[in-house]
Amino acid sequence: MIEMPVITMDGHAGSGKSTLAKELAKMYGFYQIDSGALYRTYTYFILKYLNENNENEIISEEIFQREEINNLIKNLKINIEFINNLQITMVNNENIEEYIRTPRISENIKAVADNINTRNMVNDTLRNLAGKYPIVADGRDMGTVVFYDADIKFFVTASAEERAKRRFLEFKEKHPHITIDEVVDQIVTRDKDDEKRPVGALKPAKDAIFIDTTGKNIKQVIENIIRYLQGSTSLRIKNFLENISKA
Ligand code: C5P
């Protein structure tokens, strides 16, 4: 029996779910879990392997037929740690966060996220954290697959225009040559890939609460989410909120 609450936060790229998860971590002491970072980690290490072996750095479905690739991902020691309740993805004891958020990784992530073995490994890593911490897990299939028995599930949405604008602003700092059209193309492709995925496809859980972040600031959205938490019938959520109000 898990005594710590689990909140899930699924949604499209750029919908604001990870910002909301981080804010809940900062303000309320939940532990933020970023499932996308794990798919990014596997993608990063496969690309690194291809690069080191002078191979074309493109990941397709067929790559998982290669034994050395399967061994590579099986042997990666991925560990989730937390700093100020925010996820730090560690591989073989090294913090790899700064390497995994590049357009190159986003472009190659589809085959990795479609692969059933990778999904099972990611899901096992995440489920191991439940019960140890009060978690807010963001991703695509947190409420439908990984934590289908979560205490409360949110499905975060925003208009495609606003999501593209947010991603563009994020990317512009590190990748000054990227254009808004390229970002729109990436978002549209990723939406399609995420919704059509054979396993773990992005869709709202039947019992998900929809949160639309279009045109809203973070404070307004968090206030709304907190109202849902306060109205939750889950004992784990009630106990958690009661404990933090006493602290
Ligand atoms: O959340 P983020 O954009 O970092 O995720 C990167 C990619 O990882 C997504 O586009 C999606 O393809 C994949 N992903 C997934 N399931 C999750 C989280 C992410 O398939 N739960």
Side-chain angles (χ1 to χ4, degrees), residues 9-24:
M9 198 126 328
D10 289 311
H12 291 104
S15 57
K17 58 192 182 320
S18 69
T19 309
L20 294 172
K22 284 179 185 159
E23 201 61 19
L24 285 177

Side-chain angles (χ1 to χ4, degrees), residues 10-11 13-14 17-18 34-37 39-40 101 106 109-110 113-114 119 122-123 126 138-142 146 167 190 193-194 197 199-200:
D10 289 311
K17 58 192 182 320
S18 69
D34 172 1
S35 55
Y39 293 103
R40 290 178 178 278
R101 289 169 218 288
S106 303
I109 211 161
K110 179 182 184 297
D114 282 353
R119 293 207 83 81
V122 168
N123 296 354
L126 298 176
D138 92 59
R140 308 295 188 286
D141 59 344
M142 297 298 97
V146 184
R167 274 287 136 106
R190 270 222 287 166
D193 292 346
D194 287 348
R197 176 152 294 126
V199 272

Side-chain angles (χ1 to χ4, degrees), residues 166-184:
R166 288 176 189 163
R167 274 287 136 106
F168 179 62
L169 293 175
E170 268 170 41
F171 276 156
K172 224 171 64 170
E173 266 181 39
K174 280 193 186 159
H175 309 280
H177 300 298
I178 200 155
T179 66
I180 181 86
D181 288 347
E182 281 170 326
V183 177
V184 170

Side-chain angles (χ1 to χ4, degrees), residues 59-122:
I59 306 180
S60 61
E61 211 181 303
E62 291 73 42
I63 213 159
F64 292 99
Q65 283 161 16
R66 290 167 58 174
E67 201 183 335
E68 77 276 19
I69 296 290
N70 285 314
N71 286 339
L72 169 83
I73 61 170
K74 224 168 49 201
N75 293 326
L76 279 184
K77 299 241 171 316
I78 302 186
N79 213 14
I80 291 180
E81 294 188 4
F82 298 95
I83 296 183
N84 296 330
N85 291 16
L86 303 181
Q87 172 171 325
I88 303 293
T89 314
M90 307 285 292
V91 174
N92 302 331
N93 291 324
E94 189 195 351
N95 176 347
I96 50 124
E97 287 289 332
E98 67 173 298
Y99 310 128
I100 59 177
R101 289 169 218 288
T102 64
R104 183 152 194 71
I105 288 180
S106 303
E107 280 157 22
N108 282 282
I109 211 161
K110 179 182 184 297
V112 178
D114 282 353
N115 184 269
I116 186 73
N117 293 332
T118 344
R119 293 207 83 81
N120 286 338
M121 287 190 291
V122 168

Side-chain angles (χ1 to χ4, degrees), residues 1-6 129-135 151 236-237 240:
M1 174 75 171
I2 295 168
E3 296 303 332
M4 297 282 184
V6 175
L129 299 166
K132 295 189 184 131
Y133 307 97
I135 60 181
D151 296 274
R236 286 186 285 256
I237 300 242
F240 181 78

Side-chain angles (χ1 to χ4, degrees), residues 46-56 66 68-69:
I46 297 172
L47 287 173
K48 187 167 178 276
Y49 173 89
L50 296 175
N51 176 278
E52 284 166 0
N53 288 281
N54 298 321
E55 291 189 54
N56 219 347
R66 290 167 58 174
E68 77 276 19
I69 296 290

